[in-house]
Amino acid sequence: ITLAPSALTWEYSVNSGTTWSDGASNKFTLNEATYAIDSIQVRNTDAVGNISISSNATLTLTTSSIQQGGTTDNDGIVILNSGSAFTTNADVSGSGSFRYNRNLSVTDDWYVISSPFSGQDIDAFAAAEPLGTGTGSNLGFGTYNTPSDDYTYLQSGVSGTGNFVHGKGYIVRVSSTGDITFTGDNPSIS
């Protein structure tokens, strides 16, 4: 393991971050087995609470929250599942990304959603998620128009829609239950 020079402690997980074990020295030994992709994870913390996530590493928050007072250097992936939160008072540096998995448990109902990150392409989102369909080419994704008091729906097969606007509300209806995923750049507070 190559740790950040300022690392005070480090931990590792062999079950995709469900449980963590304290690291010692700069190595750990795995039991002989076949491990799923992303099941081996390493994280470290320094004396002031800085977090460093190296490339090919993943920090997953299932229902917990991190209130980050130090700096975060993310060259890997931070995954936030429904019910979790990552709060910081500083920009997150590095070349990594963030994902938020929002669980939608009912089909054919409308949900109001908002992307918590910048950089999520709407067309890629629509192609990856089980959006419901409506009349004509309408998909179960739209925006509200205040002046005309109606909705504009994403059309099937359309491209070049652009990115989600961070913090803007959208409506979505899914054809099957489960998670919808937002993927975006490391967050910036500026």
Side-chain angles (χ1 to χ4, degrees), residues 15-172:
N15 56 12
S16 301
T18 302
T19 59
W20 292 90
S21 300
D22 291 334
S25 181
N26 64 345
K27 63 182 177 179
F28 63 97
T29 303
L30 295 172
N31 294 328
E32 188 173 328
T34 301
Y35 294 91
I37 294 173
D38 295 330
S39 63
I40 309 301
Q41 299 179 19
V42 176
R43 65 184 181 190
N44 70 75
T45 305
D46 67 12
V48 294
N50 296 326
I51 296 174
S52 177
I53 304 162
S54 47
S55 61
N56 298 320
T58 302
L59 170 62
T60 303
L61 300 175
T62 51
T63 57
S64 58
S65 297
I66 290 180
Q67 198 160 18
Q68 177 58 352
T71 63
T72 302
D73 180 35
N74 176 28
D75 289 317
I77 301 170
V78 175
I79 299 174
L80 306 167
N81 291 318
S82 284
S84 65
F86 181 93
T87 307
T88 183
N89 59 5
D91 291 347
V92 176
S93 62
S95 60
S97 64
F98 272 65
R99 285 188 203 149
Y100 178 66
N101 298 318
R102 169 82 194 301
N103 188 271
L104 302 181
S105 59
V106 178
T107 60
D108 296 326
D109 271 352
W110 288 99
Y111 292 88
V112 177
I113 61 168
S114 178
S115 177
F117 313 118
S118 299
Q120 170 72 55
D121 181 75
I122 292 174
D123 297 326
F125 174 86
E129 304 304 335
L131 297 180
T133 57
T135 57
S137 298
N138 289 344
L139 293 176
F141 180 91
T143 57
Y144 177 70
N145 304 306
T146 303
S148 57
D149 191 28
D150 64 2
Y151 292 91
T152 299
Y153 298 97
L154 185 65
Q155 300 298 298
S156 178
V158 171
S159 63
T161 308
N163 290 344
F164 280 91
V165 175
H166 177 239
K168 178 180 178 179
Y170 299 85
I171 57 169
V172 66

